[in-house]
Amino acid sequence: MTSPLTKMNQNPKEMETQVSEEDVEELIKSLPKTHWLGSNECQLIQYQGFWCEDFLIRNTIMFQYNFIARDTDILITSLPKTGTTWLKSLLYAVVNRHNTPITQSTLLDHNPHHLIPGLEFDNHTKGSNHLDQLSDPRLLSTHLPYASLPQNIRSSKTKILHITRNPSDMLVSQYYFAMTVKKKLNEDFKPPQFEQFFDEFCEGRFFYGPYFENVLEYWNISIEQPEKVLFLKYEQLKANPTHHLKRLAEFIGMPFSTQEETDGVVNDIIELCSFKNIKELEVNKSGTTLNNIIDTKTFFRKGEVGDWTNHFTPLMVEKMDQLMQDRLKGTSLSFDFLP
């Protein structure tokens, strides 16, 4: 007989209202696993078609069962290293601009990940979740694919902001990020060559990947339900931040007034949240975040468009081009690879 959790793994739409920690442990034992990059330092577990790091899988499953969405929630979705930190800064500044002067923003002394929690990093055991105590609108984030979000998020009026980035720049950024984190956790960790990292990505073994399947889910929903999902591209946001920040504000129901635009509020938020400014804040040069696993400074490397050209070989460029043609065929989604 197929257990409810096994059925849910096969079909995310089949959600049960109750789940025990024993059920979760039993499910995890049955899931496909792989040692990512051939290293014992990181085990990936395949769940509902995507790959999740082993230390996050329990929280992820409990989140799916126990999280209760509110219509006023605003949820950032993204794959890692696609602009999540930047979008968190912008969203927080927009939502709180009437509460605190921008020159005194909480962003000046708090890392964006402290202000907008990642749902996979939270404890979702019933009775222990502090998210219930947050006031509206709750600002939250996740890396999960759309189909794996709790049903009550998908069926509620929760607004979803999705940000993506061209896969080549994302891949380079993720390589340096992941290697730095693994080295911190284990000084004896020997980073693989970038080529091996690239090959794993192309084969679909990647955090919350396969990459294109995850992105295309949100792209398609943004077209089908534009009132539900706002799809943002890192490169376009960087090229024209004013336009896209105003889109964001309108989407969440907090548009900038004519007076605010005249007073320069939009530009002030853009400057406050710029990569250069956020990176240089003392709070983002020291300390840790995400359950004390990651040094805050690790989130800020270059923030450039086109850095992939310094890392890809001609063969890798050719392979990525072919992969994109295969995965994006028949869709209207495209990426910008250069400034």
Side-chain angles (χ1 to χ4, degrees):
M1 181 177 177
T2 304
S3 72
L5 276 171
T6 301
K7 287 170 62 180
M8 197 188 90
N9 178 44
Q10 297 167 348
N11 182 0
K13 293 182 179 180
E14 296 197 30
M15 294 283 187
E16 298 293 322
T17 56
Q18 298 291 328
V19 59
S20 70
E21 293 188 48
E22 290 76 15
D23 288 334
V24 172
E25 293 302 324
E26 195 63 31
L27 172 62
I28 292 173
K29 290 178 184 178
S30 71
L31 296 174
K33 302 171 181 66
T34 183
H35 287 295
W36 185 60
L37 296 170
S39 169
N40 291 331
E41 299 300 322
C42 181
Q43 185 180 65
L44 294 183
I45 298 179
Q46 192 173 50
Y47 174 62
Q48 295 184 346
F50 69 92
W51 290 98
C52 182
E53 288 192 81
D54 55 356
F55 74 96
L56 291 176
I57 188 66
R58 290 167 184 81
N59 279 358
T60 296
I61 296 172
M62 297 301 283
F63 155 51
Q64 289 180 311
Y65 278 95
N66 295 329
F67 181 80
I68 300 176
R70 300 175 189 169
D71 287 339
T72 52
D73 288 343
I74 303 173
L75 179 67
I76 290 176
T77 63
S78 63
L79 281 157
K81 308 312 296 176
T82 57
T84 310
T85 307
W86 187 19
L87 185 55
K88 284 187 176 185
S89 302
L90 291 169
L91 175 61
Y92 186 88
V94 169
V95 171
N96 290 281
R97 69 186 191 271
H98 299 307
N99 303 327
T100 307
I102 294 173
T103 54
Q104 300 173 28
S105 174
T106 310
L107 286 163
L108 295 171
D109 48 26
H110 287 75
N111 181 272
H113 296 287
H114 289 156
L115 299 174
I116 300 183
L119 292 170
E120 302 92 289
F121 288 85
D122 247 64
N123 181 358
H124 294 276
T125 302
K126 288 188 176 180
S128 65
N129 198 338
H130 71 93
L131 299 178
D132 294 337
Q133 311 305 318
L134 297 180
S135 58
D136 297 332
R138 295 187 301 182
L139 309 183
L140 310 166
S141 74
T142 183
H143 294 310
L144 291 189
Y146 184 81
S148 292
L149 295 177
Q151 176 60 34
N152 58 51
I153 288 181
R154 288 178 278 142
S155 62
S156 71
K157 294 181 180 179
T158 295
K159 294 286 189 178
I160 296 176
L161 300 171
H162 183 79
I163 188 164
T164 192
R165 187 180 189 183
N166 81 65
S168 298
D169 274 331
M170 179 281 301
L171 195 55
V172 171
S173 182
Q174 179 69 324
Y175 174 75
Y176 284 106
F177 180 83
M179 297 309 102
T180 299
V181 172
K182 297 305 176 188
K183 192 69 174 177
K184 180 194 174 185
L185 295 175
N186 181 2
E187 292 182 358
D188 296 327
F189 174 69
K190 294 180 173 54
Q193 295 296 312
F194 179 67
E195 287 79 1
Q196 185 180 355
F197 194 83
F198 175 86
D199 288 341
E200 292 275 345
F201 169 83
C202 292
E203 292 173 10
R205 290 188 296 275
F206 207 72
F207 308 111
Y208 304 98
Y211 175 88
F212 294 102
E213 283 80 347
N214 187 314
V215 173
L216 279 170
E217 268 197 303
Y218 284 101
W219 174 251
N220 291 332
I221 295 296
S222 74
I223 295 173
E224 297 167 8
Q225 302 179 53
E227 75 290 346
K228 180 70 174 177
V229 176
L230 177 65
F231 195 95
L232 298 165
K233 297 180 181 179
Y234 181 91
E235 297 79 15
Q236 293 180 352
L237 184 57
K238 193 172 180 67
N240 192 347
T242 299
H243 172 71
H244 293 290
L245 187 62
K246 289 166 71 173
R247 285 181 65 210
L248 183 159
E250 290 172 5
F251 177 76
I252 64 173
M254 300 180 69
F256 293 102
S257 66
T258 302
Q259 188 61 52
E260 282 183 305
E261 292 192 44
T262 301
D263 291 342
V265 173
V266 178
N267 290 333
D268 289 344
I269 290 177
I270 291 171
E271 179 59 31
L272 169 68
C273 300
S274 68
F275 180 84
K276 179 180 178 181
N277 187 60
I278 292 290
K279 181 179 181 178
E280 292 304 315
L281 293 175
E282 189 58 39
V283 68
N284 294 321
K285 291 182 178 181
S286 60
T288 60
T289 188
L290 298 180
N291 294 346
N292 297 319
I293 295 172
I294 302 172
D295 291 334
T296 52
K297 63 182 180 182
T298 311
F299 288 101
F300 308 93
R301 195 176 73 89
K302 288 187 175 182
E304 297 177 353
V305 177
D307 187 42
W308 64 271
T309 59
N310 299 314
H311 298 79
F312 276 45
T313 65
L315 182 60
M316 293 165 73
V317 173
E318 181 180 347
K319 191 170 182 178
M320 179 63 82
D321 286 346
Q322 186 60 55
L323 184 64
M324 288 186 60
Q325 288 182 36
D326 293 342
R327 296 294 188 272
L328 301 182
K329 184 178 181 181
T331 77
S332 54
L333 179 62
S334 63
F335 294 95
D336 299 319
F337 286 83
L338 296 172

